[in-house]
Short mmCIF file of all heavy atoms in Angstrom, two decimals:
data_model
loop_
_atom_site.label_atom_id
_atom_site.label_comp_id
_atom_site.label_asym_id
_atom_site.label_seq_id
_atom_site.Cartn_x
_atom_site.Cartn_y
_atom_site.Cartn_z
N PRO A 13 0.80 -1.31 -0.05
CA PRO A 13 -0.02 -0.02 0.02
C PRO A 13 0.84 1.28 -0.04
O PRO A 13 0.48 2.20 -0.71
CB PRO A 13 -0.79 -0.15 1.22
CG PRO A 13 -0.90 -1.61 1.51
CD PRO A 13 0.33 -2.15 1.04
N ALA A 14 1.96 1.32 0.77
CA ALA A 14 2.85 2.47 0.73
C ALA A 14 3.43 2.68 -0.66
O ALA A 14 3.71 3.86 -1.03
CB ALA A 14 3.92 2.25 1.78
N GLN A 15 3.70 1.56 -1.41
CA GLN A 15 4.27 1.71 -2.77
C GLN A 15 3.24 2.36 -3.61
O GLN A 15 3.57 3.28 -4.44
CB GLN A 15 4.52 0.31 -3.22
CG GLN A 15 5.20 0.35 -4.63
CD GLN A 15 5.50 -1.10 -5.19
OE1 GLN A 15 5.57 -2.07 -4.45
NE2 GLN A 15 5.71 -1.21 -6.41
N TRP A 16 1.97 2.05 -3.47
CA TRP A 16 0.95 2.75 -4.25
C TRP A 16 0.88 4.26 -3.87
O TRP A 16 0.68 5.09 -4.81
CB TRP A 16 -0.42 2.14 -3.99
CG TRP A 16 -0.64 0.88 -4.92
CD1 TRP A 16 -0.69 -0.40 -4.54
CD2 TRP A 16 -0.97 0.90 -6.16
NE1 TRP A 16 -0.99 -1.20 -5.52
CE2 TRP A 16 -1.11 -0.46 -6.63
CE3 TRP A 16 -1.17 1.89 -7.17
CZ2 TRP A 16 -1.43 -0.76 -7.94
CZ3 TRP A 16 -1.47 1.58 -8.50
CH2 TRP A 16 -1.56 0.20 -8.83
N GLN A 17 1.10 4.57 -2.64
CA GLN A 17 1.13 6.04 -2.29
C GLN A 17 2.21 6.75 -3.07
O GLN A 17 2.05 7.83 -3.48
CB GLN A 17 1.32 6.20 -0.77
CG GLN A 17 0.03 5.90 0.06
CD GLN A 17 0.30 6.30 1.49
OE1 GLN A 17 0.50 7.54 1.80
NE2 GLN A 17 0.23 5.36 2.42
N ARG A 18 3.36 6.09 -3.13
CA ARG A 18 4.52 6.72 -3.79
C ARG A 18 4.23 6.81 -5.29
O ARG A 18 4.73 7.76 -5.95
CB ARG A 18 5.77 5.91 -3.67
CG ARG A 18 6.28 5.96 -2.12
CD ARG A 18 7.74 5.39 -2.02
NE ARG A 18 7.82 4.12 -2.60
CZ ARG A 18 7.60 2.93 -1.87
NH1 ARG A 18 7.24 3.02 -0.62
NH2 ARG A 18 7.85 1.74 -2.40
N PHE A 19 3.41 5.95 -5.86
CA PHE A 19 3.19 5.91 -7.34
C PHE A 19 2.06 6.96 -7.78
O PHE A 19 2.16 7.50 -8.84
CB PHE A 19 2.82 4.56 -7.77
CG PHE A 19 2.52 4.46 -9.26
CD1 PHE A 19 3.49 4.78 -10.20
CD2 PHE A 19 1.32 4.12 -9.80
CE1 PHE A 19 3.39 4.74 -11.55
CE2 PHE A 19 1.11 4.07 -11.11
CZ PHE A 19 2.18 4.32 -12.02
N VAL A 20 1.09 7.18 -6.87
CA VAL A 20 -0.02 7.95 -7.37
C VAL A 20 0.36 9.35 -7.91
O VAL A 20 -0.22 9.76 -8.97
CB VAL A 20 -1.11 8.08 -6.14
CG1 VAL A 20 -2.03 9.26 -6.45
CG2 VAL A 20 -1.80 6.85 -5.90
N PRO A 21 1.30 10.06 -7.45
CA PRO A 21 1.57 11.37 -7.97
C PRO A 21 2.17 11.29 -9.39
O PRO A 21 2.20 12.28 -10.08
CB PRO A 21 2.69 11.97 -7.02
CG PRO A 21 2.43 11.20 -5.73
CD PRO A 21 2.02 9.85 -6.10
N TYR A 22 2.54 10.06 -9.80
CA TYR A 22 3.23 9.95 -11.13
C TYR A 22 2.33 9.35 -12.14
O TYR A 22 2.82 8.94 -13.18
CB TYR A 22 4.48 9.07 -11.00
CG TYR A 22 5.49 9.68 -10.08
CD1 TYR A 22 5.54 9.22 -8.72
CD2 TYR A 22 6.34 10.74 -10.45
CE1 TYR A 22 6.50 9.75 -7.89
CE2 TYR A 22 7.25 11.23 -9.58
CZ TYR A 22 7.35 10.78 -8.29
OH TYR A 22 8.25 11.22 -7.42
N LEU A 23 1.02 9.15 -11.92
CA LEU A 23 0.04 8.47 -12.67
C LEU A 23 0.02 8.99 -14.19
O LEU A 23 -0.09 8.36 -15.12
CB LEU A 23 -1.35 8.47 -12.10
CG LEU A 23 -1.59 7.42 -10.99
CD1 LEU A 23 -2.96 7.65 -10.42
CD2 LEU A 23 -1.48 5.97 -11.54
N ASP A 24 0.14 10.33 -14.24
CA ASP A 24 0.04 11.03 -15.55
C ASP A 24 1.45 11.38 -16.10
O ASP A 24 1.47 12.16 -17.10
CB ASP A 24 -0.87 12.28 -15.42
CG ASP A 24 -2.26 11.99 -15.06
OD1 ASP A 24 -2.78 10.92 -15.54
OD2 ASP A 24 -2.77 12.71 -14.23
N THR A 25 2.46 10.81 -15.60
CA THR A 25 3.77 11.15 -16.09
C THR A 25 4.09 10.70 -17.57
O THR A 25 4.43 11.48 -18.39
CB THR A 25 4.82 10.49 -15.18
OG1 THR A 25 4.71 11.19 -13.85
CG2 THR A 25 6.32 10.80 -15.65
N PRO A 26 3.82 9.42 -17.81
CA PRO A 26 4.24 8.97 -19.30
C PRO A 26 3.29 9.39 -20.32
O PRO A 26 2.10 9.23 -20.19
CB PRO A 26 4.40 7.54 -19.13
CG PRO A 26 3.35 7.14 -18.07
CD PRO A 26 3.42 8.27 -17.02
N SER A 27 3.78 10.13 -21.33
CA SER A 27 2.94 10.54 -22.35
C SER A 27 2.49 9.34 -23.20
O SER A 27 1.56 9.49 -24.11
CB SER A 27 3.77 11.53 -23.26
OG SER A 27 4.94 10.96 -23.83
N VAL A 28 3.09 8.19 -23.09
CA VAL A 28 2.74 7.02 -23.81
C VAL A 28 1.68 6.22 -23.17
O VAL A 28 1.43 5.13 -23.53
CB VAL A 28 3.97 6.16 -24.14
CG1 VAL A 28 4.88 6.83 -25.06
CG2 VAL A 28 4.69 5.78 -22.81
N ARG A 29 1.11 6.71 -22.07
CA ARG A 29 0.12 5.90 -21.38
C ARG A 29 -1.10 5.63 -22.27
O ARG A 29 -1.58 6.44 -23.02
CB ARG A 29 -0.34 6.65 -20.10
CG ARG A 29 -1.39 5.92 -19.30
CD ARG A 29 -1.78 6.67 -18.00
NE ARG A 29 -2.81 5.93 -17.26
CZ ARG A 29 -3.32 6.38 -16.13
NH1 ARG A 29 -2.84 7.47 -15.61
NH2 ARG A 29 -4.21 5.59 -15.54
N ILE A 30 -1.72 4.42 -22.05
CA ILE A 30 -2.93 4.07 -22.70
C ILE A 30 -4.02 3.83 -21.66
O ILE A 30 -3.80 3.21 -20.69
CB ILE A 30 -2.83 2.74 -23.56
CG1 ILE A 30 -1.64 2.91 -24.61
CG2 ILE A 30 -4.11 2.36 -24.11
CD1 ILE A 30 -1.42 1.64 -25.34
N GLY A 31 -5.24 4.47 -21.88
CA GLY A 31 -6.31 4.24 -21.04
C GLY A 31 -6.20 4.87 -19.61
O GLY A 31 -5.23 5.61 -19.30
N THR A 32 -7.23 4.52 -18.72
CA THR A 32 -7.23 5.16 -17.40
C THR A 32 -7.01 4.17 -16.28
O THR A 32 -7.00 4.43 -15.08
CB THR A 32 -8.61 5.82 -17.17
OG1 THR A 32 -9.64 4.86 -17.36
CG2 THR A 32 -8.83 6.98 -18.23
N GLU A 33 -6.88 2.81 -16.67
CA GLU A 33 -6.72 1.81 -15.69
C GLU A 33 -5.23 1.80 -15.08
O GLU A 33 -4.27 2.29 -15.72
CB GLU A 33 -6.90 0.39 -16.27
CG GLU A 33 -8.27 0.15 -16.92
CD GLU A 33 -8.43 0.68 -18.25
OE1 GLU A 33 -7.44 1.13 -18.88
OE2 GLU A 33 -9.54 0.53 -18.82
N THR A 34 -5.09 1.32 -13.90
CA THR A 34 -3.90 1.11 -13.29
C THR A 34 -3.69 -0.36 -12.93
O THR A 34 -4.69 -1.09 -12.85
CB THR A 34 -3.70 1.87 -11.98
OG1 THR A 34 -4.83 1.67 -11.12
CG2 THR A 34 -3.64 3.48 -12.23
N TYR A 35 -2.48 -0.81 -12.82
CA TYR A 35 -2.25 -2.23 -12.61
C TYR A 35 -1.31 -2.50 -11.56
O TYR A 35 -0.32 -1.74 -11.30
CB TYR A 35 -1.67 -2.79 -13.93
CG TYR A 35 -2.55 -2.77 -15.19
CD1 TYR A 35 -2.70 -1.61 -15.89
CD2 TYR A 35 -3.30 -3.90 -15.50
CE1 TYR A 35 -3.46 -1.47 -17.00
CE2 TYR A 35 -4.15 -3.85 -16.61
CZ TYR A 35 -4.23 -2.65 -17.31
OH TYR A 35 -5.10 -2.63 -18.37
N GLY A 36 -1.51 -3.52 -10.72
CA GLY A 36 -0.54 -4.06 -9.74
C GLY A 36 -0.08 -5.43 -10.24
O GLY A 36 -0.84 -6.41 -10.10
N VAL A 37 1.07 -5.48 -10.76
CA VAL A 37 1.61 -6.73 -11.41
C VAL A 37 2.56 -7.45 -10.54
O VAL A 37 3.54 -6.88 -10.03
CB VAL A 37 2.27 -6.34 -12.79
CG1 VAL A 37 2.74 -7.63 -13.48
CG2 VAL A 37 1.36 -5.57 -13.61
N CYS A 38 2.33 -8.79 -10.38
CA CYS A 38 3.25 -9.62 -9.57
C CYS A 38 4.01 -10.46 -10.61
O CYS A 38 3.45 -11.21 -11.44
CB CYS A 38 2.54 -10.62 -8.69
SG CYS A 38 1.53 -9.83 -7.38
N THR A 39 5.30 -10.45 -10.62
CA THR A 39 6.15 -11.08 -11.64
C THR A 39 7.45 -11.52 -11.03
O THR A 39 7.83 -11.10 -9.92
CB THR A 39 6.32 -10.12 -12.85
OG1 THR A 39 7.02 -10.90 -13.89
CG2 THR A 39 7.15 -8.84 -12.44
#
């Protein structure tokens, strides 16, 4: 959850983003 907090301010950073969904990927 703290990792998500760090990421939220950067949601609109990449100009190559597609769509409005966000993903939590385990790999």
Side-chain angles (χ1 to χ4, degrees):
Q15 182 182 342
W16 275 107
Q17 285 191 58
R18 295 195 300 273
F19 180 62
V20 167
Y22 301 100
L23 282 174
D24 297 322
T25 296
S27 59
V28 290
R29 179 178 181 178
I30 300 175
T32 59
E33 298 85 1
T34 53
Y35 295 83
V37 183
C38 298
T39 187

